[in-house]
Amino acid sequence: QKEVEQNSGPLSVPEGAIASLNCTYSDRVSQSFFWYRQYSGKSPELIMSIYSNGDKEDGRFTAQLNKASQYVSLLIRDSQPSDSATYLCAVIRTGSARQLTFGSGTQLTVLP
Amino acid sequence: NAGVTQTPKFQVLKTGQSMTLQCAQDMNHNSMYWYRQDPGMGLRLIYYSASEGTTDKGEVPNGYNVSRLNKREFSLRLESAAPSQTSVYFCASSEASIADIYEQYFGPGTRLTVT
């Protein structure tokens, strides 16, 4: 079992819809969770970090964390074509000296 | 602030050649990292430096060496390049936020091809 799992997609949503990206992790002692956006040919860009159960909102983005289910998600409201990218979920495990473990990413396409 | 910078942007090597990838950050971060990204494999940690003067192996360190030259700079060296090291290499840096979360910020990457 991979430490961090994401559906590879591609996930397609129409413009203006809500895009829902999901991530599960295997290590129960994971403590911090991150969502990165990566455009084709570019470097990962940090969108959100979350470490407490519940929701965290930043503009059109909402991160949701459920530690009991070992599940973290990213919702993108009012999706725009410019949101089309690969979204990477990453986790820092307790005691891992701040090392990020990444999922393979979900490719999102927002259709005009 | 430039953030995290990397040189070169592109490089082609022949098998057996050596080279050093350079990384610098101007955010006064203590921690720095080197990753490689391959299709279908995601980002994998090669080496990291939690603070100036320390370096540690990550998930895929074989064939690489690193040097934390000072707080700003962290270099990655390939002593004898192999085709399996064809990849995109990213440098990142981090510092603890108020909530003690280490958010990592990435450089633009180096695309390396080994023939």
Side-chain angles (χ1 to χ4, degrees):
Chain A
Q1 182 186 6
K2 287 185 181 179
E3 290 188 50
V4 181
E5 295 211 48
Q6 299 179 250
N7 290 330
S8 61
L11 172 67
S12 294
V13 299
E15 185 173 355
I18 295 175
S20 178
L21 303 159
N22 303 316
C23 174
T24 58
Y25 58 95
S26 60
D27 192 338
R28 191 166 286 278
V29 298
S30 297
Q31 65 176 167
S32 305
F33 307 86
F34 306 84
W35 283 101
Y36 285 83
R37 177 175 63 198
Q38 188 173 27
Y39 293 113
S40 180
K42 301 296 185 182
S43 60
E45 174 191 5
L46 180 66
I47 300 175
M48 300 275 288
S49 62
I50 186 168
Y51 62 98
S52 296
N53 276 325
D55 294 359
K56 179 181 178 182
E57 188 175 316
D58 184 358
R60 296 187 296 113
F61 299 97
T62 299
Q64 299 175 317
L65 176 61
N66 184 325
K67 289 188 177 181
S69 301
Q70 295 176 236
Y71 176 94
V72 58
S73 65
L74 180 70
L75 301 178
I76 306 174
R77 290 182 300 281
D78 187 23
S79 295
Q80 301 297 311
S82 58
D83 295 324
S84 298
T86 297
Y87 288 81
L88 303 170
C89 174
V91 170
I92 291 181
R93 294 179 289 115
T94 303
S96 69
R98 315 153 198 168
Q99 296 180 53
L100 277 176
T101 300
F102 282 86
S104 297
T106 298
Q107 185 180 343
L108 172 67
T109 300
V110 180
L111 303 169
Chain B
N1 287 351
V4 181
T5 57
Q6 293 182 237
T7 56
K9 286 187 168 52
F10 301 93
Q11 184 70 49
V12 179
L13 291 178
K14 294 187 188 306
T15 297
Q17 287 184 320
S18 62
M19 78 161 295
T20 299
L21 282 64
Q22 306 286 353
C23 173
Q25 52 92 8
D26 62 3
M27 296 178 282
N28 202 34
H29 287 172
N30 279 312
S31 302
M32 298 185 73
Y33 312 80
W34 276 105
Y35 293 88
R36 60 177 290 173
Q37 186 173 36
D38 305 291
M41 299 294 291
L43 280 152
R44 292 180 293 169
L45 183 66
I46 305 171
Y47 270 94
Y48 67 97
S49 172
S51 61
E52 187 178 354
T54 68
T55 61
D56 286 285
K57 295 178 181 179
E59 181 184 353
V60 289
N62 291 345
Y64 305 95
N65 285 302
V66 291
S67 295
R68 183 73 183 267
L69 304 169
N70 48 55
K71 190 172 185 178
R72 290 187 64 248
E73 298 172 288
F74 189 37
S75 62
L76 178 71
R77 183 161 179 82
L78 286 71
E79 290 291 351
S80 179
S84 61
Q85 294 178 304
T86 293
S87 188
V88 181
Y89 291 84
F90 290 105
C91 178
S93 70
S94 74
E95 192 59 66
S97 66
I98 293 174
D100 201 30
I101 294 179
Y102 284 82
E103 296 178 341
Q104 292 188 19
Y105 297 91
F106 284 78
T110 294
R111 294 183 178 275
L112 175 67
T113 301
V114 183
T115 61

